[in-house]
C-alpha cells in the first residue's frame, strides 16, 4: 500500500465514478482545466472531456439549480462549491428543492446528486473560507450529510454518495486534504449511516467527525500519558446518524466528550450530546461535555489557533468528567461569579 492523500483519494473516486457510469457529470467553479482550487478534479476534463467535467459561471445558486435539473433528467451530477460559505447563495436551492423534491412528488422524482463542499478551518483562511456549515445541512430533512476524516473513507464515502438515490452533502475537511494514510484504492469502508471506532479505550469516549477526528486521536494519546484510556468514535455520517455505535461506545466507558470545530451553540455536537444523554443516562458517570469553536464569526488567520479546539481544551474537558465522583462546579462557580 502507498501513502495516499485525501485529495488523491477524492480525485480517484471521481475518476472511477465517471469511468464506470456515463450518467456522472462533474461541474463547478474552476473544476475543469484548472482542476479546482484544491485540485480535487485535476485531470478529469483532460481524461473525460468537457461534457463530463466542466466549469460554470460564478453563481452557486445556478450551479445547484442546474444540478437539480440534470438529476431530474437522469444524470448523476457531482457539483463543487469552491468554499464552505460560498455555498450559502445556493442554500435556498438546497433547502427548498434539493431536499424536498422526493417528498414533494410523493416519491415520483428523486434527486441523485452530490454537493461537495470544502469546509472548516485550519488553513489560515478568513471568514467565507473556513466556516463550518454542517449544522445547517444536518438540520434539513431530505439530505444525507457525510464527512470523511481520512483517505480511505474519502474514497469510499464519495463513491457511495454518487451511487445514492438521494441528495448527499459531502463535506470535505480542507486541512485534511494533504493528510495521508496507507491505503490501496479502490477501497470500501463502512457504509453511509455507520460510525467507526478509531481507537479503543475503557475510561472515556471522545466523539468527533471530519476535521476533529485527528484532534480526538491526538488528545486520546495525550490522555494516555495522564492515565486515561480513551476511545475515539468517528461519526462519519451526520445524517443518518449511527445511534447504535455511539450509544454502545459511551455505555462501555460511562464518560463522554463531543468534539467539533464549529461554533458550539445549536451545533451538531449539541445534538449528539442530547442523544447520548437520552440513551445512556443510566450508564453515565458524568455529564456529557462538549469542546467546540467559540460562538464568534470565524477569526482572522492570526487568531485561528485560539478559536479552534486543541488538545489542551480536550484534556481539560476529560479532567472535568468527575473521576473522583465529585460534582463539576464549573457552572456553579460561574453563577456565583455572576452574582
Amino acid at each position: 500500500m502507498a501513502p495516499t492523500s485525501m485529495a488523491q483519494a477524492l480525485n480517484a473516486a471521481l475518476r472511477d465514478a465517471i469511468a464506470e457510469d456515463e450518467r456522472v457529470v462533474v461541474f463547478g467553479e474552476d473544476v475543469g482545466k484548472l482542476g479546482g482550487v484544491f485540485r480535487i478534479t485535476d485531470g478529469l476534463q483532460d481524461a473525460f472531456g468537457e461534457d463530463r467535467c466542466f466549469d460554470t459561471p460564478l453563481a452557486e445558486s445556478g450551479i445547484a439549480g442546474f444540478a437539480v435539473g440534470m438529476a431530474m433528467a437522469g444524470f448523476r451530477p457531482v457539483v463543487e462549491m469552491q468554499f464552505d460559505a460560498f455555498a450559502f447563495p445556493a442554500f435556498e436551492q438546497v433547502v427548498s428543492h434539493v431536499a424536498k423534491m422526493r417528498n414533494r412528488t410523493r416519491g415520483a422524482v428523486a434527486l441523485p446528486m452530490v454537493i461537495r463542499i470544502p469546509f472548516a478551518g485550519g488553513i489560515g483562511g478568513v471568514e467565507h473560507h473556513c466556516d463550518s456549515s454542517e449544522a445547517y445541512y444536518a438540520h434539513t430533512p431530505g439530505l444525507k450529510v457525510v464527512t470523511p476524516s481520512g483517505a480511505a473513507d474519502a474514497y469510499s464515502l464519495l463513491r457511495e454518495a454518487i451511487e445514492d438515490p438521494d441528495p448527499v452533502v459531502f463535506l470535505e475537511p480542507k486541512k485534511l486534504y494533504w493528510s495521508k494514510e496507507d491505503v490501496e484504492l479502490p477501497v470500501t469502508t463502512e457504509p453511509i449511516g455507520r460510525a467507526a471506532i478509531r481507537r479503543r479505550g475503557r475510561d472515556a469516549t471522545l466523539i468527533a467527525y471530519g476535521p476533529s477526528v485527528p484532534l480526538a486521536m491526538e488528545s486520546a494519546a495525550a490522555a494516555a500519558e495522564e492515565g486515561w484510556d480513551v476511545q475515539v468514535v468517528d461519526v462519519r455520517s451526520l445524517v443518518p446518524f449511527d445511534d447504535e455505535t455511539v450509544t454502545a461506545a459511551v455505555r462501555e466507558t460511562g464518560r463522554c466528550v463531543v468534539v467539533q470545530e464549529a461554533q458550539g451553540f445549536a451545533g451538531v455536537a449539541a445534538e449528539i450530546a442530547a442523544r447520548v444523554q437520552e440513551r445512556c443516562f443510566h450508564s453515565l458517570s458524568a455529564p456529557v461535555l462538549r469542546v467546540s469553536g467559540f460562538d464568534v464569526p470565524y477569526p482572522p488567520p492570526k487568531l485561528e489557533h485560539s478559536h479552534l479546539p486543541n488538545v489542551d481544551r480536550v484534556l481539560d474537558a476529560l479532567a472535568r468528567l468527575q473521576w473522583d465522583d465529585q460534582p463539576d462546579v464549573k457552572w456553579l462557580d460561574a453563577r456565583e461569579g455572576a452574582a
Side-chain angles (χ1 to χ4, degrees):
M1 292 187 290
T4 302
S5 70
M6 179 181 286
Q8 291 171 324
L10 292 168
N11 180 274
L14 292 171
R15 185 179 296 272
D16 291 349
I18 295 173
E20 295 175 13
D21 189 342
E22 64 181 8
R23 298 171 299 173
V24 176
V25 291
V26 174
F27 54 94
E29 297 162 358
D30 295 325
V31 304
K33 182 61 69 176
L34 181 66
V37 293
F38 296 104
R39 303 299 186 264
I40 305 303
T41 58
D42 188 35
L44 298 183
Q45 187 175 87
D46 289 339
F48 300 100
E50 295 182 355
D51 290 338
R52 306 295 300 280
C53 179
F54 53 89
D55 293 330
T56 65
L58 303 181
E60 290 79 8
S61 180
I63 294 171
F66 187 48
V68 169
M70 293 198 73
M72 293 175 69
F75 291 90
R76 288 182 175 266
V78 182
V79 303
E80 177 180 302
M81 299 292 170
Q82 202 165 70
F83 284 94
D84 26 60
F86 289 13
F88 293 158
F91 197 61
E92 192 276 334
Q93 288 283 347
V94 175
V95 173
S96 297
H97 304 297
V98 174
K100 292 183 171 63
M101 189 63 71
R102 179 184 284 277
N103 186 67
R104 180 180 298 152
T105 61
R106 298 183 180 180
V109 179
L111 294 181
M113 57 183 286
V114 178
I115 303 174
R116 294 181 41 244
I117 304 176
F119 89 119
I123 63 168
V126 295
E127 62 168 278
H128 281 75
H129 295 73
C130 290
D131 291 88
S132 295
S133 50
E134 64 268 29
Y136 301 126
Y137 302 108
H139 188 66
T140 303
L143 299 175
K144 294 177 180 175
V145 185
V146 301
T147 178
S149 63
D153 244 6
Y155 180 91
S156 184
L157 282 173
L158 184 54
R159 291 299 307 273
E160 187 180 355
I162 294 171
E163 295 172 2
D164 198 282
D166 290 303
V168 178
V169 176
F170 194 91
L171 298 169
E172 301 169 2
K174 291 189 291 288
K175 69 179 179 183
L176 300 183
Y177 273 146
W178 304 280
S179 64
K180 293 184 177 182
E181 65 177 283
D182 291 333
V183 59
E184 184 175 348
L185 302 178
V187 63
T188 301
T189 61
E190 293 85 352
I192 291 175
R194 299 298 294 182
I197 306 294
R198 299 300 183 200
R199 176 189 172 112
R200 289 288 180 183
R202 297 169 299 178
D203 297 332
T205 301
L206 293 177
I207 301 174
Y209 56 87
S212 297
V213 173
L215 170 62
M217 295 294 289
E218 185 181 357
S219 300
E225 298 178 3
E226 303 290 333
W228 297 314
D229 187 14
V230 176
Q231 71 178 346
V232 175
V233 177
D234 180 355
V235 173
R236 304 174 68 252
S237 175
L238 305 185
V239 182
F241 186 78
D242 184 4
D243 284 304
E244 180 182 1
T245 298
V246 169
T247 298
V250 175
R251 285 176 177 166
E252 287 175 2
T253 64
R255 292 178 169 86
C256 175
V257 175
V258 188
V259 184
Q260 72 171 24
E261 191 175 306
Q263 290 84 347
F265 188 81
V268 169
E271 174 64 23
I272 295 173
R275 299 177 84 87
V276 169
Q277 166 80 7
E278 291 168 350
R279 290 162 175 77
C280 304
F281 179 79
H282 295 290
S283 301
L284 291 172
S285 300
V288 179
L289 301 182
R290 291 172 291 154
V291 178
S292 69
F294 297 116
D295 291 319
V296 298
Y298 203 83
K302 289 184 178 179
L303 296 176
E304 183 181 54
H305 67 283
S306 297
H307 172 69
L308 298 176
N310 56 37
V311 171
D312 287 342
R313 290 177 60 194
V314 176
L315 292 179
D316 286 345
L318 288 170
R320 290 173 49 213
L321 292 176
Q322 302 187 15
W323 301 96
D324 55 1
D325 204 28
Q326 295 299 310
D328 180 3
V329 298
K330 176 177 180 178
W331 303 115
L332 292 175
D333 291 345
R335 187 177 63 182
E336 291 169 356

